[in-house]
Amino acid sequence: SYELTQPPSVSVSPGQTASITCSGDKLGDKYAFWYQQKPGQSPVLVIYQDTKRPSGIPERFSGSNSGNTATLTISGTQAIDEADYYCQAWDSSMIFGGGTKLTVL
Amino acid sequence: EVQLVESGGGLVQPGGSLRLSCAASGFTFSTFWMHWVRQAPGKGLVWVSRINSDGSSTIYADSVKGRFTISRDNAKNTLYLQMNSLRAEDTAVYYCARETIAAAGIGLDYWGQGTLVTVSS
């Protein structure tokens, strides 16, 4: 079955750029989606179709997807961006990565 | 404003049944495919099931196939998840979510607040 692999944790200093990777076999041939989930809250879509931001998502969030890796990039990371981030793709069923805890310190 | 409001969660014994509901508003429910996703305490997101817009096509994760049934009532703008033969490992917060429009690929653009299902004796 298809799997998506994320690093369990990523740390970044405020104002710096955070990159969260998501790896899967030929992931670049599929659309990648990214969700942000803060403690006690529901997930929020932050990137769809590899690179697009839904309305209301800050421009500092961007995405890319090529080869076997999709990447979520947060430029000028803020304390409010501290959250769990999940990548997702479709391969006959919906697949989520294991999630990455982003710490801003 | 799109709203998805789940209900029906609670404590149930192993082997028992529960039906979750998800009331949708703020969009034309009958034109969107819908999903259920769950999250065990302290764990990641796990997809459960998907239903097409008119309810004629459904798919399930292997872990729930044969035990869970997804359905919808477009007249009532409501999505359901009937859960039978519940196991301890089904304990989770269950979210309903709306699928993105076809051109955007298969993702989830709106999520409910979730309802907690606890399977324990």
Side-chain angles (χ1 to χ4, degrees):
Chain A
S1 61
Y2 196 79
E3 294 184 356
L4 295 174
T5 300
Q6 299 179 235
S9 63
V10 168
S11 296
V12 64
S13 300
Q16 299 304 301
T17 297
S19 295
I20 300 173
T21 59
C22 175
S23 300
D25 185 49
K26 297 180 181 179
L27 179 56
D29 292 344
K30 310 177 191 302
Y31 281 133
F33 295 76
W34 290 92
Y35 304 90
Q36 176 194 70
Q37 186 179 35
K38 297 181 179 180
Q41 298 184 17
S42 303
V44 173
L45 178 68
V46 294
I47 293 290
Y48 68 96
Q49 209 173 352
D50 297 338
T51 62
K52 299 179 179 179
R53 281 179 293 104
S55 173
I57 300 303
E59 290 184 8
R60 64 180 180 274
F61 287 86
S62 63
S64 64
N65 185 17
S66 179
N68 294 322
T69 304
T71 303
L72 173 69
T73 301
I74 309 172
S75 304
T77 307
Q78 301 181 10
I80 58 171
D81 300 328
E82 189 163 283
D84 293 327
Y85 291 86
Y86 295 90
C87 62
Q88 174 256 306
W90 182 269
D91 184 73
S92 301
S93 66
M94 185 166 284
I95 310 297
F96 289 96
T100 298
K101 182 176 182 59
L102 177 67
T103 301
V104 182
L105 42 67
Chain B
E1 178 194 6
V2 172
Q3 285 199 330
L4 298 168
V5 179
E6 300 94 336
S7 61
L11 175 64
V12 61
Q13 292 187 340
S17 298
L18 213 54
R19 188 176 85 155
L20 306 183
S21 299
C22 171
S25 61
F27 66 102
T28 306
F29 179 70
S30 61
T31 64
F32 283 85
W33 296 44
M34 298 293 295
H35 296 246
W36 288 98
V37 175
R38 68 185 182 184
Q39 186 171 35
K43 302 297 185 182
L45 301 173
V46 176
W47 175 78
V48 173
S49 184
R50 178 200 199 197
I51 188 169
N52 70 342
S53 57
D54 67 7
S56 62
S57 177
T58 59
I59 55 173
Y60 300 90
D62 287 343
S63 59
V64 306
K65 200 173 296 181
R67 300 188 299 123
F68 289 13
T69 302
I70 189 172
S71 63
R72 64 193 297 162
D73 185 336
N74 285 343
K76 295 183 177 179
N77 290 341
T78 303
L79 176 72
Y80 301 101
L81 185 67
Q82 176 67 44
M83 305 185 295
N84 299 331
S85 303
L86 283 161
R87 307 166 180 166
E89 54 264 37
D90 295 318
T91 294
V93 173
Y94 284 74
Y95 296 100
C96 71
R98 191 181 83 169
E99 186 173 306
T100 48
I101 58 172
I106 303 177
L108 303 171
D109 59 1
Y110 287 93
W111 297 62
Q113 87 287 351
T115 187
L116 176 62
V117 173
T118 303
V119 184
S120 175
S121 54

